[in-house]
Short mmCIF file of all heavy atoms in Angstrom, two decimals:
data_model
loop_
_atom_site.label_atom_id
_atom_site.label_comp_id
_atom_site.label_asym_id
_atom_site.label_seq_id
_atom_site.Cartn_x
_atom_site.Cartn_y
_atom_site.Cartn_z
N TYR A 166 31.75 -71.25 6.64
CA TYR A 166 32.26 -72.44 7.22
C TYR A 166 31.81 -73.66 6.34
O TYR A 166 32.62 -74.47 5.93
CB TYR A 166 31.87 -72.67 8.63
CG TYR A 166 32.17 -73.97 9.24
CD1 TYR A 166 33.48 -74.25 9.65
CD2 TYR A 166 31.24 -74.99 9.33
CE1 TYR A 166 33.71 -75.48 10.19
CE2 TYR A 166 31.50 -76.29 9.92
CZ TYR A 166 32.82 -76.56 10.33
OH TYR A 166 33.11 -77.74 10.71
N LEU A 167 30.49 -73.59 6.13
CA LEU A 167 29.89 -74.81 5.35
C LEU A 167 30.57 -74.78 3.92
O LEU A 167 30.80 -75.93 3.40
CB LEU A 167 28.47 -74.61 5.27
CG LEU A 167 27.60 -74.79 6.63
CD1 LEU A 167 26.19 -74.70 6.42
CD2 LEU A 167 27.78 -76.34 7.09
N LYS A 168 30.63 -73.72 3.34
CA LYS A 168 31.08 -73.65 1.97
C LYS A 168 32.50 -74.20 1.79
O LYS A 168 32.87 -74.92 0.91
CB LYS A 168 31.12 -72.08 1.42
CG LYS A 168 31.46 -71.86 0.10
CD LYS A 168 31.23 -70.53 -0.41
CE LYS A 168 32.08 -69.45 0.37
NZ LYS A 168 31.63 -68.10 -0.18
N HIS A 169 33.46 -73.81 2.83
CA HIS A 169 34.72 -74.28 2.85
C HIS A 169 34.92 -75.64 3.18
O HIS A 169 36.11 -76.24 3.14
CB HIS A 169 35.60 -73.33 3.74
CG HIS A 169 35.70 -71.92 3.28
ND1 HIS A 169 36.21 -70.98 3.97
CD2 HIS A 169 35.34 -71.38 2.08
CE1 HIS A 169 36.04 -69.81 3.29
NE2 HIS A 169 35.59 -70.16 2.16
N GLN A 170 33.82 -76.32 3.66
CA GLN A 170 33.96 -77.79 4.01
C GLN A 170 33.48 -78.66 2.77
O GLN A 170 33.63 -79.88 2.86
CB GLN A 170 32.99 -78.09 5.22
CG GLN A 170 33.43 -77.37 6.51
CD GLN A 170 34.92 -77.46 6.86
OE1 GLN A 170 35.39 -78.64 6.89
NE2 GLN A 170 35.65 -76.45 7.02
N VAL A 171 32.87 -78.06 1.71
CA VAL A 171 32.27 -78.89 0.66
C VAL A 171 33.22 -78.89 -0.36
O VAL A 171 33.81 -77.82 -0.87
CB VAL A 171 31.12 -78.17 0.20
CG1 VAL A 171 30.48 -78.97 -1.09
CG2 VAL A 171 29.97 -78.14 1.26
N LYS A 172 33.67 -80.09 -0.72
CA LYS A 172 34.83 -80.36 -1.75
C LYS A 172 34.56 -79.66 -3.07
O LYS A 172 35.34 -79.01 -3.69
CB LYS A 172 35.01 -81.84 -2.04
CG LYS A 172 36.18 -82.23 -2.94
CD LYS A 172 36.38 -83.59 -3.11
CE LYS A 172 37.49 -83.94 -3.98
NZ LYS A 172 37.83 -85.41 -4.06
N ASN A 173 33.27 -79.61 -3.61
CA ASN A 173 33.02 -79.17 -4.81
C ASN A 173 33.04 -77.59 -4.80
O ASN A 173 33.45 -76.97 -5.81
CB ASN A 173 31.51 -79.47 -5.34
CG ASN A 173 31.42 -80.91 -5.72
OD1 ASN A 173 32.60 -81.56 -6.14
ND2 ASN A 173 30.32 -81.49 -5.80
N ALA A 174 32.71 -76.99 -3.63
CA ALA A 174 32.76 -75.62 -3.49
C ALA A 174 34.31 -75.12 -3.40
O ALA A 174 34.61 -74.04 -4.06
CB ALA A 174 32.12 -75.11 -2.23
N VAL A 175 35.05 -75.92 -2.83
CA VAL A 175 36.54 -75.54 -2.72
C VAL A 175 37.19 -75.64 -4.16
O VAL A 175 38.00 -74.83 -4.49
CB VAL A 175 37.17 -76.54 -1.75
CG1 VAL A 175 38.73 -76.33 -1.83
CG2 VAL A 175 36.71 -76.34 -0.37
N SER A 176 36.83 -76.71 -4.98
CA SER A 176 37.28 -76.88 -6.30
C SER A 176 36.76 -75.64 -7.11
O SER A 176 37.60 -75.09 -7.94
CB SER A 176 36.77 -78.24 -6.91
OG SER A 176 37.22 -78.30 -8.19
N TYR A 177 35.55 -75.31 -7.00
CA TYR A 177 35.02 -74.15 -7.88
C TYR A 177 35.75 -72.85 -7.55
O TYR A 177 36.19 -72.06 -8.44
CB TYR A 177 33.45 -74.06 -7.45
CG TYR A 177 32.97 -72.75 -7.85
CD1 TYR A 177 32.53 -72.39 -9.22
CD2 TYR A 177 32.70 -71.63 -6.98
CE1 TYR A 177 32.10 -71.20 -9.55
CE2 TYR A 177 32.15 -70.36 -7.30
CZ TYR A 177 31.88 -70.20 -8.60
OH TYR A 177 31.26 -68.99 -8.97
N ILE A 178 36.06 -72.63 -6.28
CA ILE A 178 36.77 -71.43 -5.90
C ILE A 178 38.18 -71.42 -6.60
O ILE A 178 38.70 -70.43 -7.02
CB ILE A 178 36.80 -71.27 -4.30
CG1 ILE A 178 35.51 -70.97 -3.81
CG2 ILE A 178 37.78 -70.22 -3.93
CD1 ILE A 178 35.35 -71.02 -2.29
N ALA A 179 38.89 -72.57 -6.46
CA ALA A 179 40.18 -72.66 -6.99
C ALA A 179 40.20 -72.39 -8.43
O ALA A 179 41.10 -71.68 -9.00
CB ALA A 179 40.84 -74.03 -6.63
N ASP A 180 39.25 -73.03 -9.13
CA ASP A 180 39.17 -72.83 -10.64
C ASP A 180 38.94 -71.38 -10.94
O ASP A 180 39.56 -70.77 -11.91
CB ASP A 180 38.03 -73.66 -11.21
CG ASP A 180 38.31 -75.10 -11.08
OD1 ASP A 180 39.48 -75.60 -10.98
OD2 ASP A 180 37.32 -75.94 -11.23
N PHE A 181 38.01 -70.76 -10.24
CA PHE A 181 37.77 -69.29 -10.46
C PHE A 181 39.03 -68.49 -10.25
O PHE A 181 39.42 -67.55 -11.09
CB PHE A 181 36.65 -68.83 -9.47
CG PHE A 181 36.28 -67.32 -9.55
CD1 PHE A 181 35.51 -66.83 -10.44
CD2 PHE A 181 36.96 -66.51 -8.69
CE1 PHE A 181 35.23 -65.55 -10.58
CE2 PHE A 181 36.58 -65.08 -8.60
CZ PHE A 181 35.76 -64.65 -9.60
N GLU A 182 39.79 -68.68 -9.24
CA GLU A 182 41.00 -67.91 -8.90
C GLU A 182 41.95 -68.06 -10.05
O GLU A 182 42.62 -67.02 -10.51
CB GLU A 182 41.54 -68.45 -7.64
CG GLU A 182 40.72 -68.10 -6.48
CD GLU A 182 41.19 -68.67 -5.26
OE1 GLU A 182 42.09 -69.64 -5.11
OE2 GLU A 182 40.92 -68.25 -4.09
N HIS A 183 42.15 -69.31 -10.60
CA HIS A 183 43.09 -69.41 -11.74
C HIS A 183 42.61 -68.80 -13.01
O HIS A 183 43.42 -68.20 -13.79
CB HIS A 183 43.41 -71.07 -11.88
CG HIS A 183 44.39 -71.62 -11.00
ND1 HIS A 183 44.04 -71.89 -9.56
CD2 HIS A 183 45.83 -71.74 -10.92
CE1 HIS A 183 44.96 -72.37 -8.97
NE2 HIS A 183 46.06 -72.19 -9.86
N ILE A 184 41.28 -68.77 -13.25
CA ILE A 184 40.69 -68.27 -14.46
C ILE A 184 41.08 -66.72 -14.38
O ILE A 184 41.44 -66.10 -15.31
CB ILE A 184 39.31 -68.53 -14.57
CG1 ILE A 184 39.12 -69.98 -14.97
CG2 ILE A 184 38.63 -67.51 -15.50
CD1 ILE A 184 37.55 -70.41 -14.90
N MET A 185 40.72 -66.15 -13.12
CA MET A 185 41.08 -64.73 -13.08
C MET A 185 42.50 -64.38 -13.20
O MET A 185 42.74 -63.26 -13.80
CB MET A 185 40.54 -64.19 -11.70
CG MET A 185 39.00 -64.41 -11.43
SD MET A 185 38.05 -63.65 -12.75
CE MET A 185 38.28 -62.05 -12.53
N ALA A 186 43.32 -65.11 -12.70
CA ALA A 186 44.79 -64.80 -12.88
C ALA A 186 45.13 -64.96 -14.37
O ALA A 186 45.91 -64.07 -14.86
CB ALA A 186 45.59 -65.75 -12.08
N ARG A 187 44.60 -65.87 -15.01
CA ARG A 187 44.87 -66.00 -16.47
C ARG A 187 44.39 -64.89 -17.30
O ARG A 187 45.08 -64.47 -18.11
CB ARG A 187 44.26 -67.32 -17.03
CG ARG A 187 44.53 -67.65 -18.42
CD ARG A 187 43.68 -68.74 -18.91
NE ARG A 187 42.24 -68.33 -19.06
CZ ARG A 187 41.14 -69.05 -18.95
NH1 ARG A 187 41.35 -70.38 -19.01
NH2 ARG A 187 39.98 -68.58 -19.03
N GLU A 188 43.19 -64.37 -16.96
CA GLU A 188 42.71 -63.19 -17.74
C GLU A 188 43.48 -61.90 -17.40
O GLU A 188 43.55 -61.16 -18.29
CB GLU A 188 41.12 -63.01 -17.20
CG GLU A 188 40.19 -64.11 -17.56
CD GLU A 188 39.95 -64.02 -19.19
OE1 GLU A 188 40.10 -63.01 -19.76
OE2 GLU A 188 39.62 -65.14 -19.74
N ALA A 189 43.96 -61.77 -16.15
CA ALA A 189 44.87 -60.69 -15.81
C ALA A 189 46.08 -60.64 -16.63
O ALA A 189 46.57 -59.65 -17.19
CB ALA A 189 45.22 -60.74 -14.38
N ARG A 190 46.67 -61.92 -16.92
CA ARG A 190 47.93 -61.97 -17.80
C ARG A 190 47.58 -61.54 -19.21
O ARG A 190 48.33 -60.99 -19.75
CB ARG A 190 48.44 -63.37 -17.65
CG ARG A 190 49.73 -63.57 -18.30
CD ARG A 190 50.23 -65.02 -18.42
NE ARG A 190 50.32 -65.58 -17.05
CZ ARG A 190 51.36 -65.33 -16.28
NH1 ARG A 190 52.40 -64.60 -16.61
NH2 ARG A 190 51.45 -65.88 -15.03
N MET A 191 46.45 -61.96 -19.67
CA MET A 191 46.05 -61.63 -20.97
C MET A 191 45.86 -60.15 -21.26
O MET A 191 46.05 -59.61 -22.30
CB MET A 191 44.72 -62.51 -21.35
CG MET A 191 44.84 -63.95 -21.43
SD MET A 191 43.27 -64.70 -21.67
CE MET A 191 42.77 -64.14 -23.37
N ARG A 192 45.72 -59.50 -20.12
CA ARG A 192 45.50 -58.04 -20.24
C ARG A 192 46.88 -57.29 -19.82
O ARG A 192 46.84 -56.13 -19.62
CB ARG A 192 44.40 -57.57 -19.20
CG ARG A 192 42.99 -57.96 -19.74
CD ARG A 192 41.90 -57.88 -18.69
NE ARG A 192 40.63 -58.05 -19.17
CZ ARG A 192 40.19 -59.24 -19.48
NH1 ARG A 192 40.83 -60.29 -19.41
NH2 ARG A 192 38.88 -59.30 -19.93
N ASN A 193 47.83 -58.02 -19.77
CA ASN A 193 49.25 -57.57 -19.54
C ASN A 193 49.35 -56.79 -18.11
O ASN A 193 49.97 -55.72 -17.96
CB ASN A 193 49.68 -56.66 -20.64
CG ASN A 193 49.75 -57.33 -21.94
OD1 ASN A 193 50.39 -58.41 -22.08
ND2 ASN A 193 49.44 -56.71 -23.09
N CYS A 194 48.55 -57.45 -17.20
CA CYS A 194 48.52 -56.88 -15.80
C CYS A 194 49.28 -57.70 -14.92
O CYS A 194 49.66 -58.93 -15.27
CB CYS A 194 47.13 -56.68 -15.26
SG CYS A 194 46.20 -55.46 -16.21
N ASP A 195 49.79 -57.28 -13.80
CA ASP A 195 50.49 -57.83 -12.88
C ASP A 195 49.83 -58.61 -11.82
O ASP A 195 50.20 -59.50 -10.98
CB ASP A 195 51.49 -57.11 -12.17
CG ASP A 195 52.48 -56.21 -12.96
OD1 ASP A 195 53.28 -56.89 -13.57
OD2 ASP A 195 52.19 -54.95 -13.31
N GLY A 196 48.42 -58.40 -11.84
CA GLY A 196 47.51 -59.16 -10.97
C GLY A 196 46.21 -58.68 -11.21
O GLY A 196 45.80 -57.91 -12.03
N VAL A 197 45.23 -59.22 -10.31
CA VAL A 197 43.79 -58.92 -10.46
C VAL A 197 43.17 -58.68 -9.01
O VAL A 197 43.63 -59.31 -8.08
CB VAL A 197 43.07 -60.13 -11.12
CG1 VAL A 197 43.33 -61.38 -10.28
CG2 VAL A 197 41.59 -59.77 -11.19
N VAL A 198 42.23 -57.87 -9.05
CA VAL A 198 41.36 -57.61 -7.70
C VAL A 198 39.94 -57.89 -8.24
O VAL A 198 39.41 -57.35 -9.15
CB VAL A 198 41.56 -56.18 -7.20
CG1 VAL A 198 40.60 -56.07 -5.88
CG2 VAL A 198 42.98 -55.88 -6.84
N CYS A 199 39.42 -58.83 -7.38
CA CYS A 199 37.87 -59.13 -7.82
C CYS A 199 37.10 -59.51 -6.45
O CYS A 199 37.64 -59.33 -5.37
CB CYS A 199 37.74 -60.38 -8.82
SG CYS A 199 38.65 -61.79 -8.13
N GLY A 200 35.95 -59.84 -6.68
CA GLY A 200 35.04 -60.29 -5.57
C GLY A 200 34.32 -61.51 -6.05
O GLY A 200 34.91 -62.46 -6.45
N HIS A 201 32.99 -61.45 -5.99
CA HIS A 201 32.07 -62.44 -6.48
C HIS A 201 32.03 -63.77 -5.67
O HIS A 201 30.82 -64.21 -5.46
CB HIS A 201 32.38 -62.80 -8.01
CG HIS A 201 31.49 -63.69 -8.57
ND1 HIS A 201 30.13 -63.38 -8.80
CD2 HIS A 201 31.60 -64.92 -9.34
CE1 HIS A 201 29.45 -64.43 -9.47
NE2 HIS A 201 30.37 -65.19 -9.78
#
Side-chain angles (χ1 to χ4, degrees):
Y166 171 79
L167 293 174
K168 181 169 65 179
H169 294 169
Q170 300 306 309
V171 178
K172 183 177 180 179
N173 287 343
V175 174
S176 177
Y177 163 78
I178 290 171
D180 290 345
F181 175 82
E182 292 173 343
H183 280 83
I184 289 170
M185 297 308 295
R187 183 193 67 198
E188 291 291 334
R190 187 184 300 278
M191 291 175 64
R192 288 163 173 75
N193 295 316
C194 290
D195 301 291
V197 59
V198 179
C199 59
H201 187 53

